[in-house]
Amino acid sequence: MKAVLKKIVCISLTVVMVMALTGCGDKARHEEAKKKYGSDKLTVFLPGEYIDDDVIPSFEKKFGVTVNVEEFDSNESMYTKFASGDKYDVLIPSDYMIERLMKENKLQKIDKSLIPNMNVLCAEVQNLSFDPTNDYSVPYFWGNFGIVYDTRKVTLSDLEAKDYEILRDTRYKGDIFMYDSERDGFLVAFKSLGYSCNSEDEQEIQEAYEWLLELGNTMKPVYVTDEVIDGMINGNKALALVYSGDAVTILEENENMSYYVPKCGSNVFCDSMVIPANAENPKLAHEFINYMLSYEISKKNTLAVGYTSPNAKVLDEMIKNDFADNIAYVPRKSDKDELYHDNEFLRKKLSELWTKVIATQ
């Protein structure tokens, strides 16, 4: 008994000593970070479930810092919180929202000398129209918007023949998930009518509104956001409007599901990392952005989340290996696909009309 007790005491003392040494080591690393970056704390605001679980802890450990992560469920809710005065060091919004933040002088220029990993970016995410020289934004994920469908209920040939009009095919009444977003909802109507998703023409907007009203009243779709992922994995509906990264996840989990992007056009997007003009820790923010572009972290993120990596090497590897059989992973290229652009008139008009569309359900 005494021998065992002595062993336990020795082990306990060893654990305490290791913890004490680790604590001392952490403290020293934090002090080192303060000297190098001016701070050992970073605040990041990103979309929910948009990062591998190990990435933040690994960044904290490697650089001796503490990262506070907050999540948002839409670009609009992110803007509201940010504009109210909350301070962040890194934001990860979508293209059109970045365009708005740039117009309002709410972002600072990227110091590209502090982000050497920008040279890993694939051509598809460089110099996009919302930030032509990537002076204010660094790509994080990209993708497009399309239709996930249950191959047991819907045929590809039918989709190809009807594009978005399949959403008004009465065979699928009550069997559709619509994405609850004014930009994405109106995209579907605009493209089905042959218009740009950035149209400012009031007659075209009215036609799109009436198209959506008719769809809602006739087809009785269910309006959802992230619930669409589990809903389609479980086969709850025949058709769903979905972002490509979520489609990747659905297709990986349910072999009966496939993905289609209508020929008449869709939205192609690029969510990017930006540094607010009032960021308190811009040097550490640059380090974080550079870290997120690295091969190891880019690979972890794309495997965990399903959205398309901006890292050219990772993208090539995913296409050839991990997502070789997943049709949703690589966004298709079409002249009819568009980025959303920020437009104050369109922003307010679509928000007002979408509220009316939803209210009829």
Side-chain angles (χ1 to χ4, degrees):
M1 287 293 291
K2 289 183 180 179
V4 173
L5 180 60
K6 184 176 179 180
K7 186 175 181 180
I8 292 172
V9 170
C10 288
I11 292 172
S12 299
L13 286 172
T14 300
V15 170
V16 170
M17 289 173 67
V18 169
M19 290 176 67
L21 289 170
T22 301
C24 291
D26 285 346
K27 185 176 180 181
R29 288 171 58 74
H30 276 261
E31 289 300 321
E32 184 181 335
K34 287 179 184 178
K35 290 178 182 178
K36 183 175 181 180
Y37 303 110
S39 174
D40 64 339
K41 293 181 175 59
L42 187 76
T43 302
V44 180
F45 202 16
L46 50 69
E49 300 181 4
Y50 217 41
I51 192 168
D52 179 83
D53 290 341
D54 294 332
V55 168
I56 295 298
S58 68
F59 180 79
E60 291 177 319
K61 183 178 180 180
K62 181 171 183 177
F63 294 98
V65 300
T66 299
V67 180
N68 175 43
V69 176
E70 292 187 29
E71 297 181 349
F72 57 83
D73 58 8
S74 71
N75 283 286
E76 288 68 30
S77 65
M78 179 281 300
Y79 179 85
T80 299
K81 197 164 190 296
F82 175 53
S84 71
D86 287 15
K87 290 189 175 182
Y88 302 97
D89 300 305
V90 179
L91 303 174
I92 307 181
S94 298
D95 33 57
Y96 72 94
M97 184 56 69
I98 293 170
E99 193 173 34
R100 180 178 182 181
L101 294 172
M102 288 169 61
K103 288 178 186 175
E104 297 175 357
N105 297 315
K106 287 185 167 68
L107 301 180
Q108 60 179 269
K109 276 193 171 185
I110 298 293
D111 184 343
K112 296 177 184 178
S113 70
L114 298 178
I115 309 180
N117 282 337
M118 283 190 77
N119 65 11
V120 308
L121 294 172
C122 60
E124 290 87 346
V125 296
Q126 295 186 55
N127 311 123
L128 298 176
S129 56
F130 67 96
D131 184 14
T133 51
N134 285 110
D135 282 340
Y136 291 90
S137 63
V138 179
Y140 182 77
F141 277 133
W142 59 295
N144 63 9
F145 192 67
I147 300 172
V148 163
Y149 63 100
D150 189 331
T151 58
R152 297 168 299 182
K153 300 178 181 179
V154 185
T155 65
L156 177 58
S157 59
D158 212 10
L159 277 160
E160 290 174 336
K162 297 183 177 182
D163 275 3
Y164 292 115
E165 287 294 331
I166 200 166
L167 299 172
R168 303 203 298 177
D169 186 328
T170 53
R171 287 179 295 172
Y172 306 111
K173 181 177 180 179
D175 211 8
I176 297 170
F177 282 132
M178 286 287 288
Y179 206 83
D180 187 2
S181 158
E182 60 259 31
R183 288 305 297 254
D184 300 322
F186 271 88
L187 161 83
V188 170
F190 279 138
K191 288 299 184 181
S192 191
L193 292 165
Y195 303 143
S196 166
C197 64
N198 295 299
S199 175
E200 299 177 59
D201 185 289
E202 295 206 44
Q203 180 59 40
E204 292 180 357
I205 293 172
Q206 182 63 28
E207 287 181 46
Y209 170 57
E210 292 172 2
W211 192 96
L212 289 167
L213 279 180
E214 183 181 344
L215 183 151
N217 292 328
T218 304
M219 301 301 295
K220 303 301 179 185
V222 177
Y223 294 85
V224 296
T225 53
D226 290 343
E227 312 95 282
V228 72
I229 302 173
D230 287 340
M232 293 306 284
I233 287 174
N234 294 328
N236 293 346
K237 301 292 181 185
L239 297 156
L241 290 166
V242 177
Y243 298 127
S244 58
D246 294 340
V248 168
T249 300
I250 294 166
L251 270 57
E252 290 289 299
E253 297 294 327
N254 187 333
E255 63 181 10
N256 295 312
M257 298 296 162
S258 192
Y259 184 65
Y260 175 73
V261 181
K263 299 185 299 297
C264 61
S266 185
N267 165 241
V268 59
F269 63 84
C270 184
D271 296 342
S272 301
M273 298 173 280
V274 298
I275 303 176
N278 64 352
E280 296 179 336
N281 307 304
K283 285 187 70 176
L284 188 52
H286 280 83
E287 190 73 79
F288 178 80
I289 292 172
N290 191 59
Y291 187 69
M292 299 304 285
L293 291 180
S294 66
Y295 170 81
E296 179 185 356
I297 300 306
S298 292
K299 183 176 179 179
K300 274 179 176 285
N301 272 341
T302 199
L303 286 172
V305 181
Y307 281 89
T308 314
S309 176
N311 182 305
K313 184 178 178 181
V314 173
L315 176 59
D316 185 61
E317 186 175 328
M318 293 300 107
I319 293 171
K320 292 177 180 176
N321 300 311
D322 299 84
F323 294 124
D325 298 321
N326 196 311
I327 194 173
Y329 186 73
V330 181
R332 68 99 183 271
K333 297 177 182 178
S334 170
D335 292 340
K336 293 186 178 181
D337 295 340
E338 299 176 86
L339 286 163
Y340 292 142
H341 286 292
D342 179 62
N343 177 291
E344 186 175 3
F345 164 75
L346 192 61
R347 184 194 322 142
K348 291 179 179 178
K349 189 70 176 178
L350 297 192
S351 178
E352 170 195 332
L353 293 176
W354 186 250
T355 299
K356 293 179 180 180
V357 170
I358 298 298
T360 62
Q361 305 312 305

